[in-house]
Each structure stands twice: as structure tokens, then as C-alpha cells.
Amino acid sequence: MGYDGSGLVAAALGDDLQPQQLHRSDRVEDLVTSFGAGVRLVWADTGDLYPQLLAAGVRVERCHDLRLCHAILADHDEMLAADQQWRQRHPLPDQEPTLLDDQLTEDRIEFTEVVAEYRRQRAAVDPLPADSDHGPNDHGPNDHGPDDQGHVDQAERIRRAKLRLLLSAESAGALIAAEMAFHGLPWDRDVHDRQLTELLGPRPRYGGRPQKMQQAVDQLTAALEVGAFNPDSPVELLQALHRAGIDVTSTRKWELEQIDHPAIEPLLRFKKMSRLLSANGWLWLDAWVKDGRFRPDYVVGGVVTGRWATSGGGALQLPKQLRAAAQADPGWKLVVADASQLEPRVLAAMARDDRLATAARGNDLYQGLVDAGVVDTRPHAKVAMLGALYGATTGQSGQLMPRLISAYPRATGLVEDAARAGERGEVVSTFLGRRSPLPSESWRELQHFAGSGDASAEDVRRSRQQARDWGRFTRNFVVQGTAAEWALCWMAGLRQRLVDLDPAAGDSGPGDHGRLDHSRIDHDRAHLVYFLHDEVIVHSPAGCADRVAELIKESAAAAGRLLFGDSGVEFALDLDIVDNYGQVS
């Protein structure tokens, strides 16, 4: 076994789930490569351990991330208590040898403990015996054998199979996130600097504001005629606007745009430049781009729906003005794929709504709604569908919703049911079983008080508003969370197809070339470098970029089949093979 400086453990399990002994004298990078295909590493935190292996040139094919799986299972089988007990049993030591030490000198955590923890997690979702030959990466609703105890019905077995797939996908996502940070998105500092200079003015030599920003401030100050103030301070800016007779409640763009005053244009221009400077200016460039690479710092499952977040660098918010700086290396291409209208397609697949699946065939689902005669224009189709997904009940969305409900009762019924459950304070789940959080204690207290007979009319109004707000959250939770699950499966399948791709022959699979070595990092192969909810970027040798695009399509279709079977839904992609990210339309 091995563990890193945080006291985290790793165990290697073969397909028979029997742990393979890791000797103290073994180098972990040699151990991983010696196991061959089919071995699954079980460890506490991929984000802590895997970067060390990647730095040593080692690629892990499969893993089970205990931390991420604990978070998912906490609401299913009291795994939160198990996690607390785990941490109590294994407090983090101050100093321990690292995973990549030549000699693993001391085994303070027994090897059997990580195996036992893995099996406890598996027992929470798998009705098969603990010594079965089915593991968390063997998934699908139909791969269970007979129920030995005869107590688990088919629906429960399917639920557990889905949950096993979710755990497997989440763990695969952790591997992918670490690999994307390791490879990095190729980034040209000179292009970034030229874009900033064009948009903001030259970089100030001794700090301060760039020239064009300062010009906007000077114009703003002159137009307000209220004396000096700091426009970077929302409080001072709002006070200056009030002194100038501009009656606004905030400095938000949508509110300022309603005002007719000569100060508004330079103010909006300044705010736009200020956001760019603070989020992706020269300080960002210095901090986040090293050796020609931007290395995203993703947080897998960082949002309650399962979407990824970032812990720095703003990888999920790269501004369009700077995307041209993401440039492929000479002789390489960026293959950019964006899942078209993913959430409506996911909704159609979840609900098994054949009519909506038919409308989704092709690249433009919204035009499909028009062609079906549900609405008259594409903009109306988009408004209606977004209203169904996010619970808009007023304005144009509210007027169009009855048409959508009539045309697609299964799809709209699914999100309506989720909304009603949320309004009652109930938990809803994604397709694979990630559960929504419960509303706060104060929310539940207000709902209870509003129905007690002692509540005022204002209390009742507030309770109804809170219930509707939470219903909108649960309505979208089931769809957004399932879309995140589809994206995980998409990337996991693509990751495997890319490692099987021969960059010289441009084909996928070992073919006549023999078994490819999946346990070593090969920098000459195409690899994932960026992910944004429903969009991926692969950095590919130019000679196999077309094949990479095909593999991306194959992986999207396979992810749809893996989750939803034969749903009839096409998961369409917008694909571009470009020299830089800014060339994507």
C-alpha cells in the first residue's frame, strides 16, 4: 500500500476484487504499471494522489475515489456518519512519507482498511455479495445476476446499478480533471497580452489603471460632476450616482441601462474593462500560465447538481475576447466540441418522451419545435423550453408553456413533478441518483408556521414564494444534474478512446500495433485539455484531428446509450477543428 503526505491510502484491486499486496519497498509508479489492464486503484482523494503519479509519468486507467463517493452516498446509506468515523479513526498526521518515496517506510494505516471501506461503500449500492466479481466500473441496469436473497426487486436493482454508474463516472471525472491540469490548455502569452493591450491599453508599468480604463473613469467623473470618488467601490459609486441625481438601487448593468444620462456609457465601459482586468488580466496571466499552458484547477462535483466548479483561475469563465490565446502547438489542432441544447435533450431522454426526441433530431431542437407546429418561431421555442427547465411562469414563457405541456406531456410532467416535490420540501434525484439537498431549517419552519393558522397574510405570502423558489431549484436540479452525469460519461468514454488512438495510423484500438500501454503518459497522443459543462477541447496532432472529432461523436452517442438505453434522442454536437479557440463561432 501507499499513502501521501495527507495520510491518504491507496489499494489496488483486480477484477476479482482481491487486493494485490503493495510491498513497502515498491516504487508506486512501477507498481501501477506492473499491474496491467483491469486494475482499479481505490484511494481517498484522486486530487491529492494522482498528480504525483502523473508527474512521474504514470497514467491510472481506473479508480474509486472514496471522498467523492462518500459525498454522493451520504444521503443514501448514512455514509456521512461513516465518513466522520473514518476521519476519527484516521486523523491526518503532521508528516508522512509520500506516495512517490523510493521506500514506503511505515504503514500506519492497514492495507485492509481501504479495502474494507471500499466494500462498505459498494455494499450500500450493490445487492450482490461483497465477493462478487462485479465492480463499480461494471455498470448498466442489466448486468446484475440473480438476487441471491430474493428481497431486492427489479426497480431497486436498477436504482443501485445507476448509482454504481454514478460513482464510477464521478471517479473517472476526478482522473480526467487531474489529467487536464497536468497537460494544460496551450496558451500563448503574447496573444493574451496583445488582446489586453487592445481592449484596456498598455500594461501599467507601476500598477494603477490601464490607459483606456482611466479614460473611461475621467469621462465618468466629468459627466457626474460630483467630485472625486473611487469607481472600484460599489458603495462610493452608488453614492456618486445618487449625488448626481441618478436614482438607482444598484450598479448592476441591467438597471443602469434603463437610465438616460451621459455618465452611463463610460460607466458601463469601465465596468466591463474592470471585470476583464480583475478576472483575466496580466496578474492572471502571470499566475496561471506557465510554460505555455493554462492548467485549470477543477473541483469535480463542486456544485450540488454535480457540475464542476473551479478553485481558482476561472476555467469555467474564459472570456471570448481572450480565447484566441488558447492556441494549438505547431503541428497540432484544437478539436472543440459543444453539446447542442444538452439539457432539453437530456430531459427528453429521461422522460422517454418520443415526441420531444423526434424534435431533437438534428442540430437544432428549437427549430424542431417550430417544425412540429408547437410554436411559431425559433425564439419562442427557446423561451418556452427554458421556461420549462427553469420554471418561468410569467411573461412570454408563461404564455407559451401551455403549448409545450400539451405537445410534450411526459417531459414537462417530469419537471413539473420535480417542482411540486421541491415545493413540499422533498428531495429529488438525478437520473443516476444524486440527491438534492433539503431546504434550510428556516424554510421548513416558515412552511410549517404558514399552515398553522396563526400566520399572517404576509407570512403565508412569503412561505408560498419560498416554496415556489425551491420548486424552481428542484425542477432544474433533476435536468442539470443528469446533464452533468451525461457529460461525465461522455468524457470518460472519450478519454479511453483517445488513449487507444494511434497518432501515426489515425485509428482507434490497438489493431496490428499490439496492446497500447495505458499506464504511461504519452505526450504525443491526443488528450483532453478543457471542459466547460457541455463543451470539451482536445489537443490533437493535426494528422489525427479528424479521427478525434469522430471519436468525440462516438463517445457522445455511447454516453446517451449508457445512461438512457434506446431513448431515440440524438445528442448533437457542434464540432470545430481550429488552430485557436477564438476561431470557434
Side-chain angles (χ1 to χ4, degrees), residues 29 32-33 36 41 43 50 53-62 175-176 179 183 492 494-500 515-522 525:
E29 57 266 39
V32 174
T33 55
L41 289 183
W43 52 29
Y50 194 28
L53 290 173
L54 290 169
V58 177
R59 177 187 181 275
V60 171
E61 187 172 355
R62 299 192 299 172
L175 294 175
I176 293 166
E179 289 169 0
H183 290 294
L494 176 59
R495 173 181 183 258
Q496 192 57 45
R497 286 174 172 83
L498 290 177
V499 81
D500 286 338
R515 173 77 182 174
L516 299 174
D517 185 0
H518 290 186
S519 62
R520 288 293 179 185
I521 295 292
D522 187 345
R525 295 190 184 278

Side-chain angles (χ1 to χ4, degrees), residues 399-437:
Q399 296 172 8
L400 294 171
M401 269 299 293
R403 302 185 196 178
L404 213 61
I405 292 172
S406 176
Y408 309 114
R410 294 180 67 90
T412 54
L414 187 151
V415 288
E416 287 293 323
D417 288 346
R420 301 293 87 77
E423 291 174 4
R424 295 190 297 268
E426 298 171 1
V427 168
V428 298
S429 297
T430 63
F431 189 75
L432 293 185
R434 191 188 300 268
R435 292 159 64 93
S436 67

Side-chain angles (χ1 to χ4, degrees), residues 129-312:
D131 58 355
S132 164
D133 61 357
H134 289 268
N137 292 286
D138 309 313
H139 37 61
N142 300 315
D143 63 0
H144 284 289
D147 175 24
D148 293 337
Q149 299 180 356
H151 297 308
V152 182
D153 61 15
Q154 184 182 28
E156 178 63 11
R157 297 214 313 269
I158 291 175
R159 182 191 73 83
R160 295 187 180 202
K162 288 180 177 180
L163 196 53
R164 287 168 57 203
L165 173 54
L166 176 57
L167 301 183
S168 178
E170 192 87 339
S171 296
L175 294 175
I176 293 166
E179 289 169 0
M180 285 194 288
F182 173 74
H183 290 294
L185 178 64
W187 200 270
D188 191 315
R189 292 181 59 93
D190 292 337
V191 171
H192 189 135
D193 178 71
R194 285 198 299 269
Q195 291 293 98
L196 289 177
T197 300
E198 179 181 340
L199 295 167
L200 307 178
R203 183 175 187 173
R205 188 173 180 180
Y206 301 108
R209 296 190 184 98
Q211 182 183 33
K212 292 186 178 181
M213 282 186 65
Q214 187 58 51
Q215 289 174 353
V217 170
D218 293 342
Q219 293 167 5
L220 169 64
T221 303
L224 289 178
E225 298 180 327
V226 294
F229 64 95
N230 179 10
D232 293 308
S233 167
V235 174
E236 289 192 35
L237 176 58
L238 190 61
Q239 290 174 345
L241 293 173
H242 289 167
R243 291 199 302 272
I246 301 175
D247 186 17
V248 290
T249 61
S250 72
T251 59
R252 295 185 179 92
K253 178 182 177 181
W254 66 266
E255 187 173 359
L256 292 173
E257 288 177 333
Q258 310 303 314
I259 305 300
D260 182 16
H261 190 282
I264 299 303
E265 188 279 329
L267 172 55
L268 292 176
R269 183 159 29 98
F270 166 76
K271 287 170 67 66
K272 183 177 181 179
M273 290 189 288
S274 180
R275 283 192 298 270
L276 178 62
L277 179 65
S278 61
N280 298 97
W282 290 280
L283 293 180
W284 180 93
L285 186 60
D286 293 340
W288 286 97
V289 177
K290 305 293 183 184
D291 303 321
R293 292 293 188 271
F294 166 49
R295 305 184 188 279
D297 191 3
Y298 290 112
V299 180
V300 178
V303 181
V304 293
T305 59
R307 275 190 166 192
W308 288 14
T310 60
S311 60

Side-chain angles (χ1 to χ4, degrees), residues 461-532:
R461 187 199 63 79
R462 285 178 51 238
S463 72
R464 290 176 178 172
Q465 182 61 52
Q466 285 189 2
R468 285 193 295 269
D469 290 345
W470 196 254
R472 279 192 288 271
F473 163 71
T474 53
R475 170 193 294 270
N476 185 242
F477 179 94
V478 296
V479 181
Q480 186 182 106
T482 303
E485 293 163 356
W486 178 89
L488 280 175
C489 294
W490 179 33
M491 287 196 294
L494 176 59
R495 173 181 183 258
Q496 192 57 45
R497 286 174 172 83
L498 290 177
V499 81
D500 286 338
L501 177 65
D502 189 318
D507 61 2
S508 183
D512 296 333
H513 310 286
R515 173 77 182 174
L516 299 174
D517 185 0
H518 290 186
S519 62
R520 288 293 179 185
I521 295 292
D522 187 345
H523 295 278
D524 293 329
R525 295 190 184 278
H527 45 265
L528 280 157
V529 292
Y530 184 67
F531 172 57
L532 176 62

Side-chain angles (χ1 to χ4, degrees), residues 71-82:
I72 292 171
L73 292 172
D75 290 329
H76 284 270
D77 293 285
E78 300 180 345
M79 290 302 296
L80 183 60

